[in-house]
Amino acid sequence: MALIIQKFGGTSVGSTEKIKAVAQRVLKNHQQGNRMVVVLSAMSGETDRLTGLALTMQHIPDQREMDMLLATGEQITVALFAMAIKDMGYDAVSLLGDQVAIRTDDMHTKARILSIDPTLINSHLDQGKIVVIAGFQGVTDSGDITTLGRGGSDTTAVALAAAMRADACEIFTDVEGVYTTDPNVCPQARKIDYISYDEMLELASLGAKVLDIRAVGLAKRFCVPVHVRSTFSENIGTWVVEEEKIMESMLVSGITYSKSEARITIRQVPDQPGIAAKVFLPISDAGILVDMIIQNTTDGRLTDMTFTVLRRDYDRAMEILQKVAAEIGAQRVTGDESIAKVSIVGVGMRNHPGIASTMFQILAKEGINMMMVSTSEIKVSCVIAEKYTELAVRALHDAFALDKENMPVETE
Ligand code: ADP
Ligand code: ASP
Ligand code: MG
């Protein structure tokens, strides 16, 4: 008897018909003798709708109350799903994060899971029930409801698989698996059969929202193989596994884009020790994450500092930096919210120089200007104007021949 965790995302449970279809699918696995634990997201669009409602009440919504509100999205789907199963003549029970006891820290709207108690889930499974758990939510030690951040239902599923030592962890979504790039942007995108945790971590951190980055981190830490696959077909999807288990690695395995960042430049800053700390300390104190940073010395005395922050933090960051600029004697602060970050990722890059320069050539050929660049062992990211995102993704996908399996790549 296998223990299977299956997570279904928002589009998979986006209507009552879809919930019934998913219930049928889960039931089939149950009838084959498996112990089924199902994790559900809110219906597609629901979390956005709830966020919109909150913003009509409070300019910057109280984070605790925000979690109370957002957690309701998943409560709806799990209850409806359990009803659907019962209507088919079988037994199911829906459970919220606090009922399971998915304990988290108290970082409202981006809480981390600390522990999961599988006792209640196991006792329901022992009684022959399908257990349906609300994704994306947990509870603090003081009893407050928390949520795990957007896309967090993936994390709930992987955390359950780790805590319960499940035999399988399947993430069902609206595409056939993890692709070489977003298939909704590039029709030539190819489904990847196997991808390493590290590559998936990079893809997720750079914008491939098909799997939440925290879910990948947990999967890696607890060695949980994750199968990402389609709700709407029976096809095998993508296995996210340890690198050693992958026979062949591609030079470049994926292209990602993110439109969620903004660029800020502080101009003509005195080029002295301690200035960077003066600029970035108030930013980090405000809980704002900084991604890429570039410093250009103009004449040895003055320098321009450019960096990126999440677009949702842009207004707050600009406000803080106007004050900082006045204090440190910088000339002015400028910003640009219409940027995108396009990245190429692949473990094969470790041993192959020249990938970054190929990327630059391809962008240049399309007449796309690069504003910033950052690299790591297995990725190269470029900041470009947002309007060129799709063009850049398709051109890179084409030039690195990602539509073809194991195609050798020209690096000169
Ligand atoms: P769910 O609601 O099931 O959690 P998400 O919308 O969070 O689904 O993630 C699936 C979406 O991720 C796809 O519809 C696709 O547009 C997008 N996506 C972005 N990059 C990739 C990629 N490399 N491979 C697959 N899908 C991707
Ligand atoms: N409902 C949440 C969201 O839309 C969590 C999830 O779907 O994973 O982000
Ligand atoms: Mg998702």
Side-chain angles (χ1 to χ4, degrees):
M1 224 191 225
L3 171 64
I4 302 179
I5 313 283
Q6 294 189 329
K7 176 259 170 178
F8 294 87
T11 39
S12 308
V13 291
S15 66
T16 47
E17 284 70 35
K18 284 184 173 166
I19 292 176
K20 284 182 190 170
V22 168
Q24 282 284 3
R25 187 171 186 148
V26 171
L27 194 54
K28 238 192 255 169
N29 289 286
H30 173 78
Q31 287 164 334
Q32 286 161 1
N34 298 304
R35 287 159 75 87
M36 299 304 300
V37 176
V38 182
V39 176
L40 299 183
S41 289
M43 291 165 124
S44 51
E46 179 66 2
T47 309
D48 288 338
R49 189 185 73 86
L50 293 169
T51 306
L53 285 181
L55 290 169
T56 65
M57 290 296 142
Q58 205 181 358
H59 175 51
I60 300 176
D62 180 90
Q63 300 288 282
R64 179 191 179 278
E65 301 311 326
M66 192 70 179
D67 277 349
M68 284 295 279
L69 180 69
L70 293 184
T72 63
E74 272 69 12
Q75 181 164 358
I76 294 171
T77 44
V78 289
L80 291 175
F81 186 96
M83 289 175 198
I85 295 282
K86 284 167 190 273
D87 195 53
M88 293 167 194
Y90 287 81
D91 205 3
V93 58
S94 63
L95 296 173
L96 301 178
D98 60 328
Q99 291 174 303
V100 174
I102 298 179
R103 278 183 54 244
T104 72
D105 62 19
D106 58 3
M107 290 296 286
H108 283 289
T109 73
K110 43 180 173 294
R112 268 170 201 280
I113 296 177
L114 300 176
S115 69
I116 294 182
D117 182 354
T119 317
L120 182 63
I121 303 175
N122 277 326
S123 86
H124 283 301
L125 288 172
D126 290 344
Q127 294 163 42
K129 293 179 199 167
I130 293 171
V131 180
V132 196
I133 296 174
F136 169 63
Q137 55 180 260
V139 64
T140 66
D141 283 342
S142 49
D144 285 322
I145 303 294
T146 50
T147 63
L148 310 179
R150 298 307 301 266
S153 297
D154 296 339
T155 309
T156 306
V158 175
L160 277 165
M164 299 185 72
R165 297 184 210 289
D167 298 292
C169 179
E170 300 185 299
I171 305 290
F172 287 87
T173 185
D174 59 352
V175 289
E176 295 271 332
V178 180
Y179 281 67
T180 47
T181 193
D182 187 343
N184 289 319
V185 164
C186 180
Q188 278 76 37
R190 185 175 51 79
K191 197 198 82 196
I192 301 169
D193 295 333
Y194 290 91
I195 190 162
S196 71
Y197 293 125
D198 285 336
E199 279 174 307
M200 195 62 233
L201 276 173
E202 287 281 9
L203 289 179
S205 78
L206 295 167
K209 66 168 181 163
V210 61
L211 203 52
D212 183 30
I213 186 165
R214 285 208 194 152
V216 189
L218 277 181
K220 180 180 175 184
R221 193 162 139 217
F222 294 100
C223 293
V224 178
V226 177
H227 188 186
V228 182
R229 57 191 303 195
S230 169
T231 305
F232 309 110
S233 83
E234 297 288 334
N235 299 339
I236 306 274
T238 302
W239 281 95
V240 188
V241 292
E242 285 166 282
E243 196 174 324
E244 296 73 46
K245 299 224 163 83
I246 302 173
M247 301 300 284
E248 257 175 301
S249 61
M250 296 279 284
L251 199 52
V252 173
S253 53
I255 316 273
T256 59
Y257 65 92
S258 162
K259 297 181 180 180
S260 57
E261 289 180 42
R263 185 172 65 125
I264 297 177
T265 302
I266 312 189
R267 301 209 180 270
Q268 308 278 291
V269 181
D271 194 8
Q272 292 159 5
I275 286 288
K278 280 196 182 131
V279 170
F280 292 112
L281 209 61
I283 295 279
S284 65
D285 282 349
I288 297 172
L289 288 177
V290 171
D291 183 16
M292 294 181 180
I293 303 178
I294 288 181
Q295 185 173 332
N296 282 324
T297 303
T298 44
D299 62 1
R301 250 180 352 100
L302 297 172
T303 178
D304 285 353
M305 263 182 203
T306 303
F307 53 93
T308 58
V309 296
L310 284 177
R311 226 177 264 186
R312 63 160 194 257
D313 292 330
Y314 177 76
D315 288 342
R316 277 198 307 142
M318 285 298 270
E319 208 173 293
I320 293 168
L321 287 164
Q322 301 292 359
K323 283 192 206 127
V324 172
E327 280 163 28
I328 61 176
Q331 192 198 54
R332 67 199 159 98
V333 183
T334 57
D336 181 357
E337 282 187 271
S338 53
I339 59 158
K341 184 166 71 178
V342 175
S343 312
I344 58 176
V345 176
V347 282
M349 272 186 227
R350 279 197 194 118
N351 311 316
H352 287 82
I355 298 294
S357 56
T358 308
M359 181 180 189
F360 304 157
Q361 280 168 20
I362 296 160
L363 294 178
K365 215 169 106 202
E366 298 296 333
I368 301 171
N369 185 37
M370 295 177 328
M371 303 170 189
M372 302 171 87
V373 178
S374 83
T375 61
S376 81
E377 217 187 357
I378 63 167
K379 73 117 204 270
V380 185
S381 299
C382 294
V383 169
I384 61 171
E386 183 179 353
K387 62 183 174 191
Y388 296 127
T389 312
E390 286 75 15
L391 174 65
V393 168
R394 289 186 201 125
L396 290 166
H397 196 272
D398 192 40
F400 284 107
L402 293 190
D403 54 331
K404 303 191 182 62
E405 209 149 350
N406 295 324
M407 184 77 179
V409 176
E410 292 289 335
T411 54
E412 291 308 317

